[in-house]
Amino acid sequence: MTDTERIGGDVVVETLRALGADTVFGLPGQHALGLFEALRRADDLRVISGRVENNLAFAADGHARARLAANPDGPVPVTPLVVSTGPGALLTLASLQESRAASVPVLGISSQIPVAGLGGGRHGYLHELPDQQASFAGVVKSVHVVRRASQIPSALREAWTSASTAPYGPVWVEIPQDVLLGPAGVPPITSVAAAPVPLAPLPELVTAAADLLAAASNPVILAGGGALRSGAHAELAALAEALRAPVLSTFGGKGVFGWDHELSGQSWLEDWHSTEFLADADVLLVLGSGLGELSSNYREFAPRGRVIQVEADLGKLESNYPGLGIHADVRLTLQALLEWVPMRRSDGRAEAAVASLLSRVKSRLDGQDLAVERKLVDDVRAAVPDGTQTYWDMTIAAYWAWSVWNPEGAPIHTAQGAGGLGYGLPGALGGAAATGGPTLAVSGDGGAMYSVAELATAVQHGLDVTWLIVDDGGYGILREYLTGAFGQSTATELARPDFVSLAQSFGVSAQLSTLDTVGADLAEALRTPGPSVVVLPALLKMFEPTHLEQS
């Protein structure tokens, strides 16, 4: 084969380019050779490789989130991920579960065994599974299987459209080895375009919602991840100010409403004061949230007024609480509501209610011995320059950040959608590839060991990531959970490496920090181009839960 002989892999690359891709995250495998040869010949597509497929999928997720955060008004930025058959493909499942839970548009492309082996015949091909696509069907939005090179453009267009249609999410495309290696069979592809259909609300439902909101004496808005993903920042602010309605954000919705806005109740959703504040609304407008476990304070939330739920994911509509359900994109719904909802003059009541809520939350925290944890989050936030994307693993520092982190100028991306470990560093690698600027990753020592190999990826691709590792000697949050439930913990205490020396062995600048110096150490690391690691030995605590007091 010569460079001028086009193969199926070239059709994939040409289609991705036509659809708007400029970066591909990929890890080669035997069945995917044709695709990676095509990527080699495509000098206008950047290929970010990795060490483990699940980390690479997290990186693709982080890349898409950073693009969404940086340009909420632009086209939906689908990020391609390319892996090989069987073991390589299956390793992405946990990461794609996070992308699905958080509505992140990732396009997974996997090779497959030769066409003749498809159908579960158990022919004994390397990496063969009886039905690989079945493993993904319950995880991603849609699965697409190609059997001829001529099917590639349409399959990728359908997948791209699925990923970028509200609710956004990961999709999966499988292409057999012999199709990728075989003749292209079609002319060069340059004109493929995806056209997601806007998910507009039904007019009669908008009218009904507007009537409820106009008549409400105490309206409150809960903004979820769907509001953030739809780019509804301006529309949400306009509606809140028109209604004089306080706005609280779910952990996934942080950043869609001004943190210090006079109507912002921020995001202390695990505090009973916030739970009751939402329950007291005579009309609660829920935007892009399914009111799941975390957003409902572990199911203890019990609304006493009417609920209006705007949700692009049909399966989440009224799945937990009855109400007026509107199946639609949040931004489009807010635009429609703004045409009907009257403008109210401020009388100071909503602002006073928000100030009282935040004061009560603060008083509750002041009554606990949490000075170390609160100062740590403040120091980390102060160290982060404006415009820096931040990525948080499932660790106690992140559990604090869900509630207290001010995302203005420093968007926060976390793994709380599905709750899997290992997201911080690879997510931040994707963010750095998307923005070209510094990114921050935060992990515990347990989660860090899931992805420490990707320090080599950071070095290889020159990605500007500063990684804060809070080392408490184990799985800290699980230690708390087990000790709280049973008085002792099991399998939470961990042997771990000298993270500073380990990072330095990769050629990464690293230093041991303290609670007194971590802010300055992080600020210096973030100012210095290239990958760096800051290790903080610290035993952190969570604030006391409030849902247990109600049960």
Side-chain angles (χ1 to χ4, degrees):
M1 182 175 65
T2 68
D3 279 1
T4 59
E5 293 174 345
R6 291 175 58 253
I7 57 176
D10 292 302
V11 181
V12 175
V13 170
E14 293 162 2
T15 303
L16 291 177
R17 185 189 296 116
L19 287 167
D22 58 20
T23 303
V24 175
F25 292 82
L27 204 163
Q30 180 174 323
H31 291 155
L33 298 181
L35 183 46
F36 279 83
E37 167 58 14
L39 287 169
R40 180 190 68 81
R41 299 192 295 212
D43 56 10
D44 56 347
L45 275 182
R46 184 184 187 188
V47 179
I48 304 291
S49 59
R51 297 302 181 269
V52 189
E53 284 86 354
N54 72 301
N55 292 330
L56 205 62
F58 275 147
D61 176 291
H63 183 271
R65 293 196 203 200
R67 288 277 176 91
L68 280 167
N71 188 19
D73 296 321
V76 179
V78 179
T79 298
L81 161 72
V82 179
V83 295
S84 193
T85 321
L90 295 179
L91 275 170
T92 68
L93 282 168
S95 306
L96 294 173
Q97 182 188 4
E98 172 59 36
S99 298
R100 181 67 184 277
S103 297
V104 181
V106 172
L107 169 56
I109 302 173
S110 166
S111 58
Q112 252 290 15
I113 59 176
V115 172
L118 297 179
R122 308 302 295 271
H123 301 282
Y125 290 102
L126 179 69
H127 303 328
E128 180 180 356
L129 289 167
D131 190 357
Q132 180 175 289
Q133 63 178 298
S135 298
F136 291 83
V139 176
V140 299
K141 279 188 69 178
S142 59
V143 176
H144 311 258
V145 179
V146 168
R147 293 175 183 269
R148 297 289 185 269
S150 61
Q151 299 173 2
I152 290 172
S154 292
L156 290 177
R157 177 177 58 196
E158 289 175 6
W160 191 287
T161 301
S162 176
S164 57
T165 298
Y168 311 147
V171 294
W172 192 252
V173 179
E174 297 185 355
I175 308 175
Q177 176 188 30
D178 47 345
V179 174
L180 292 170
L181 288 170
V186 295
I189 304 299
T190 60
S191 60
V192 179
V197 177
L199 186 57
L202 295 176
E204 52 266 45
L205 296 181
V206 172
T207 302
D211 289 345
L212 286 171
L213 291 168
S217 60
N218 181 32
V220 177
I221 299 171
L222 178 63
L228 180 68
R229 293 283 179 262
S230 71
H233 306 64
E235 290 82 0
L236 175 56
L239 184 69
E241 290 167 3
L243 292 171
R244 306 314 301 171
V247 178
L248 278 67
S249 299
T250 70
F251 304 146
K254 289 172 72 74
V256 72
F257 192 72
W259 187 252
D260 293 319
H261 192 286
E262 60 188 0
L263 293 172
S264 175
Q266 301 179 357
S267 60
W268 283 97
L269 293 195
E270 289 188 87
D271 189 288
W272 192 250
H273 297 305
S274 295
T275 306
E276 284 293 277
F277 190 89
L278 294 169
D280 276 340
D282 58 349
V283 177
L284 177 64
L285 177 60
V286 181
L287 302 173
S289 170
L291 289 173
E293 187 174 57
L294 294 178
S295 301
S296 65
N297 206 346
Y298 301 92
R299 312 295 183 192
E300 294 297 328
F301 168 60
R304 291 181 278 275
R306 294 293 302 273
V307 174
I308 304 170
Q309 184 186 14
V310 182
E311 176 57 58
D313 189 334
L314 185 60
K316 292 182 179 179
L317 202 64
E318 293 189 79
S319 62
N320 290 308
Y321 296 90
L324 174 61
I326 302 177
H327 180 222
D329 175 78
V330 170
R331 188 177 191 179
L332 295 178
T333 303
L334 292 181
Q335 290 171 352
L337 283 171
L338 284 166
E339 297 180 11
W340 292 95
V341 171
M343 180 75 71
R344 297 180 180 180
R345 184 175 302 171
S346 173
D347 59 9
R349 288 193 304 129
E351 294 86 342
V354 165
S356 174
L357 167 64
L358 295 178
S359 176
R360 282 176 282 149
V361 171
K362 181 178 182 297
S363 293
R364 181 173 179 273
L365 295 174
D366 288 344
Q368 302 173 49
D369 182 17
L370 299 169
V372 168
E373 290 76 11
R374 295 167 75 177
K375 180 178 183 299
L376 173 62
V377 179
D378 287 345
D379 287 348
V380 174
R381 181 62 186 86
V384 176
D386 278 354
T388 301
Q389 307 283 332
T390 71
Y391 294 81
W392 301 69
D393 213 329
M394 297 296 289
T395 186
I396 288 179
Y399 283 43
W400 272 92
W402 293 354
S403 295
V404 74
W405 185 262
N406 180 347
E408 292 187 359
I412 178 172
H413 310 289
T414 80
Q416 57 92 202
L421 274 171
Y423 179 76
L425 176 61
L429 294 177
T435 66
T439 58
L440 173 69
V442 181
S443 300
D445 55 288
M449 291 302 291
Y450 276 61
S451 51
V452 70
E454 303 308 332
L455 284 174
T457 300
V459 172
Q460 181 171 338
H461 295 284
L463 298 172
D464 193 0
V465 174
T466 294
W467 192 15
L468 172 62
I469 301 174
V470 182
D471 184 356
D472 67 0
Y475 297 124
I477 191 66
L478 294 173
R479 179 192 292 132
E480 282 213 2
Y481 288 162
L482 280 164
T483 303
F486 303 107
Q488 56 188 340
S489 66
T490 304
T492 58
E493 309 315 299
L494 303 174
R496 67 270 189 210
D498 176 340
F499 284 108
V500 171
S501 296
L502 181 59
Q504 291 171 342
S505 74
F506 284 99
V508 173
S509 173
Q511 68 179 106
L512 191 66
S513 189
T514 69
L515 286 167
D516 292 330
T517 65
V518 65
D521 293 339
L522 277 177
E524 176 62 25
L526 285 160
R527 282 194 297 267
T528 304
S532 58
V533 170
V534 175
V535 180
L536 174 65
L539 184 63
L540 305 179
K541 298 182 298 184
M542 282 299 296
F543 46 83
E544 291 295 327
T546 58
H547 66 283
L548 299 177
E549 301 168 8
Q550 315 307 318
S551 300

